[in-house]
């Protein structure tokens, strides 16, 4: 295992794009964008001492090991989430714990059902996942976009933004089908607005090193999509001799 932020749940049966997004959450080979200043001399996390961090990461690794079998029992997943709850109560400023709890909560769903996150009975868990990802982003983000980040900060931000972008993109697809399920904070938002939010998260996930997020940022960018539509229409007219 490459870092304490790596979790390997059962491989989901999703569309090719959705599978790529979920796979990207656990991509240990991602490299940050050249636009991001990575400074290995910085403290790994600004509010956690190096001694505390070593202890926390050891605790995290032990919890993650419980989830790395192909099909961990639901009871194991639930008890691990409770341990993450305790860890967060002790260290509420530790972003990686929120990131990993969100991934553990995701494992409560039937991963073979790509819309499981958005059925009404899963609304509370979906809201917890979305909230945890937001908290991980808040705690790991530097005060200014120009400020350098540590390698660990970059990894957490890449994972959290990409995972949140995935949820937003799925919410947009579900909204197109007429459903308003999913995290409470997304209720009532229109499909186009959700896609814009997903595009921004994919942009930031890519900026901090997730290659799949970089690609999806382009695909979901409303201006790029508009330009693509214009080009397609111009080509159609040219072919038809209009």
């Amino acid at each position: 295992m490459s870092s304490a932020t790596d979790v390997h749940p059962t491989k989901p049966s999703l569309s090719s794009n959705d599978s790529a997004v979920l796979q990207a959450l656990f991509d240990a080979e991602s490299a940050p964008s050249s636009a991001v200043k990575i400074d290995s001399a910085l403290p790994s996390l600004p509010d956690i001492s190096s001694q505390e961090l070593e202890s926390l990461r050891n605790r995290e690794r032990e919890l993650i090991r419980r989830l790395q079998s192909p099909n961990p029992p639901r009871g194991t997943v639930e008890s691990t989430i409770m341990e993450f709850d305790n860890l967060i109560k002790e260290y509420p400023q530790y972003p990686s714990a929120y990131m990993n709890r969100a991934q553990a909560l995701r494992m409560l769903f039937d991963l073979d059902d790509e819309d499981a996150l958005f059925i009404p009975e899963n609304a509370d868990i979906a809201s917890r996942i979305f909230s945890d990802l937001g908290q991980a982003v808040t705690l790991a983000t530097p005060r200014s976009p120009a400020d350098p980040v540590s390698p660990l900060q970059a990894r957490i931000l890449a994972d959290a933004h990409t995972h949140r972008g995935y949820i937003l993109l799925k919410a947009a697809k579900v909204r197109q089908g007429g459903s308003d399920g999913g995290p409470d904070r997304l209720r009532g938002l229109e499909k186009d607005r959700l896609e814009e939010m997903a595009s921004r998260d994919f942009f930031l996930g890519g900026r901090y090193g997730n290659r799949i997020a970089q690609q999806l940022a382009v695909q979901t960018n409303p201006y790029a999509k508009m330009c693509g539509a214009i080009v397609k229409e111009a080509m159609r007219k040219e072919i038809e001799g209009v």
Side-chain angles (χ1 to χ4, degrees), residues 205-221:
R207 186 173 186 268
Y208 286 106
N210 194 299
R211 296 186 185 92
I212 299 297
Q214 291 170 5
Q215 299 170 17
L216 287 169
V218 175
Q219 294 176 22
T220 56
N221 185 294

Side-chain angles (χ1 to χ4, degrees), residues 221-232:
N221 185 294
Y223 299 105
K225 289 168 66 178
M226 179 178 66
C227 291
I230 292 171
V231 170
K232 286 180 181 179

Side-chain angles (χ1 to χ4, degrees), residues 21-102:
V21 171
L22 285 178
Q23 180 62 34
L25 296 177
F26 317 113
D27 179 9
E29 304 302 322
S30 295
S33 163
S34 58
V36 175
K37 297 178 182 177
I38 304 296
D39 187 348
S40 299
L42 287 173
S44 294
L45 293 170
D47 297 320
I48 308 262
S49 70
S50 57
Q51 189 172 15
E52 286 177 319
L53 181 60
E54 183 178 1
S55 173
L56 285 169
R57 296 189 75 180
N58 285 336
R59 288 175 65 181
E60 238 179 341
R61 289 188 183 100
E62 182 57 37
L63 292 176
I64 289 168
R65 286 193 188 99
R66 301 180 188 177
L67 306 178
Q68 289 185 318
S69 62
N71 292 290
R74 186 179 181 89
T76 299
V77 176
E78 290 175 341
S79 65
T80 301
I81 290 168
M82 291 178 63
E83 290 295 330
F84 274 119
D85 292 345
N86 294 332
L87 182 60
I88 287 169
K89 286 178 183 178
E90 292 179 52
Y91 292 90
Q93 74 278 29
Y94 183 45
S96 183
Y98 293 94
M99 179 69 224
N100 280 316
R101 184 170 68 178

Side-chain angles (χ1 to χ4, degrees), residues 169-234:
L169 186 59
K170 288 298 299 178
K173 291 179 180 178
V174 169
R175 194 74 80 252
Q176 187 175 23
S179 173
D180 197 31
D184 292 338
R185 295 183 188 181
L186 305 184
R187 300 282 173 81
L189 295 180
E190 297 294 330
K191 171 181 175 291
D192 289 348
R193 175 57 179 154
L194 291 167
E195 286 185 347
E196 289 174 10
M197 293 166 67
S199 182
R200 175 165 176 76
D201 263 324
F202 287 138
F203 167 77
L204 290 168
R207 186 173 186 268
Y208 286 106
N210 194 299
R211 296 186 185 92
I212 299 297
Q214 291 170 5
Q215 299 170 17
L216 287 169
V218 175
Q219 294 176 22
T220 56
N221 185 294
Y223 299 105
K225 289 168 66 178
M226 179 178 66
C227 291
I230 292 171
V231 170
K232 286 180 181 179
E233 179 63 16

